[in-house]
Amino acid sequence: MTRGGQGLARVAVVVRAGAAPLWWLGVVAAGAGAFVPGLTGLRIGALGGAALFLGAAAVVALTRRGRYRALARAAARAGRNDVLQDRAVTARNWRRAHRWWLLLAFLAALGSAWAAPAAGALLLAGCGAGLWLKAAWIGRLERADDVLLWVRVDWLTSAGRPVGRTVKAYRTTGIAAGDAAPGGARRKLATAA
């Protein structure tokens, strides 16, 4: 970072970074849990897990939307010397900082199968689905204002929360900046016809 520039990470990418690991760890744990009879039986465990999946997805997707909106409204334009972090780097940093929490969540989901098969696993997958929904919602905010939202990397801390206490403001760039589309997905490359 030269001449006072800041490292910036895409808000939607930070949110989306945990979606895939939580989803896939939940799916794998649910598959493994289906072979464990458990105390409640598979049918009750799966029905309870479906309710937990829907509840977790809704809670994660809807939590802190007001703070996201407030930070987006007050966002300032990114400076010329600011450095935009690649999508892959942002996702890798988040996953590396949270790898032990992801492992513990996976082990807890597996262990819960002895009580209610697939319930804890579907809860985990629901958290991942909620993060995908939240990233898609942020993408709609970005499209509506025709900007991309960025957060300073040094404000993310180890928790990696783009609306945490340390985050004071967002920055914006044009819609074509960076290597991630609105919502944090990988940009589709234009193909020649």
Side-chain angles (χ1 to χ4, degrees):
M1 274 136 305
T2 59
R3 297 186 195 169
Q6 302 289 333
L8 302 178
R10 280 288 305 287
V11 173
V13 172
V14 175
V15 169
R16 193 181 170 101
L22 287 170
W23 170 262
W24 287 113
L25 290 174
V27 168
V28 169
F35 295 104
V36 178
L39 296 175
T40 62
L42 181 59
R43 184 170 179 268
I44 292 173
L47 288 174
L52 288 172
F53 176 90
L54 294 173
V59 168
V60 170
L62 298 173
T63 303
R64 313 263 341 239
R65 281 193 176 190
R67 175 107 166 107
Y68 280 98
R69 276 195 201 100
L71 288 168
R73 274 195 300 268
R77 194 83 177 151
R80 170 169 282 189
N81 295 318
D82 287 336
V83 178
L84 306 180
Q85 193 173 76
D86 288 344
R87 178 185 183 278
V89 173
T90 302
R92 184 175 61 239
N93 288 346
W94 189 95
R95 290 171 185 162
R96 187 174 292 152
H98 293 83
R99 65 184 176 270
W100 295 113
W101 288 110
L102 291 169
L103 177 63
L104 286 173
F106 177 67
L107 293 175
L110 280 177
S112 72
W114 294 105
L122 289 173
L123 173 67
L124 194 62
C127 291
L131 288 175
W132 262 317
L133 292 171
K134 182 175 281 187
W137 174 77
I138 292 169
R140 287 193 296 277
L141 279 182
E142 291 175 327
R143 282 189 199 93
D145 294 334
D146 206 31
V147 296
L148 297 179
L149 298 171
W150 300 79
V151 61
R152 281 176 47 174
V153 173
D154 59 326
W155 284 350
L156 288 174
T157 67
S158 62
R161 289 184 306 209
V163 289
R165 275 187 225 144
T166 56
V167 176
K168 315 272 189 292
Y170 288 161
R171 305 258 177 98
T172 63
T173 61
I175 206 85
D179 64 345
R186 195 175 285 120
R187 279 196 197 276
K188 292 187 175 104
L189 299 174
T191 56

